[in-house]
Amino acid sequence: MAALSAVALLVTGCAGRPADPQPTPEPTSTVRLGTVARAEVGARLTVTATVDRVITGTAFVVRDVDFTDGTLLVLSTGKATAEPPQLVTVVGTVIDFSYRDLSDRYQLGPSGAYRDFEGGPALAAEDVTVWD
């Protein structure tokens, strides 16, 4: 009986001791920043992605999970022959998109197609490779 009392005392004594305080984890972002979100305006960038839609012969949208909103506007001074859902590799420079400032240079056509991109990043293409 004395042994049983000693065991009971040991078990309750151990169970009553509070656990050491644990440090709180550092807060981490749950949003994954995409390639373009990390790139500064003026940075050279190479992107391989799927053509989502063609707006004009010099402007098209690519889609990839690494982009902040899933899509990226690509502008080219030469005609791009890419069509959805082709894969393209684009080498260019990250710019801030402004329809008013860029419409003449890139022959953008009507402004309505560009509303979602206004003020955001775009890629001014220097080279576009279309993969079959």
Side-chain angles (χ1 to χ4, degrees), residues 115-116 126:
R115 285 189 226 284
D116 292 342
E126 297 160 19

Side-chain angles (χ1 to χ4, degrees), residues 1 3 6-7 12 27 48 52 54 66 77 80 82-83 90 98-100 105 111 113 116 121:
M1 187 76 156
V7 169
T12 55
T48 299
D52 184 64
V54 176
D66 199 32
T77 54
E83 293 292 329
V90 181
S98 166
Y99 177 83
R100 185 180 60 176
R105 178 175 184 190
S111 64
D116 292 342

Side-chain angles (χ1 to χ4, degrees), residues 35-51:
T35 301
V36 177
R38 290 188 309 260
E40 299 282 328
V41 170
R44 296 215 3 106
L45 191 65
T46 300
V47 171
T48 299
T50 304
V51 176

Side-chain angles (χ1 to χ4, degrees), residues 17-28:
R17 182 176 168 218
D20 292 334
Q22 297 296 316
T24 57
E26 291 292 319
T28 57

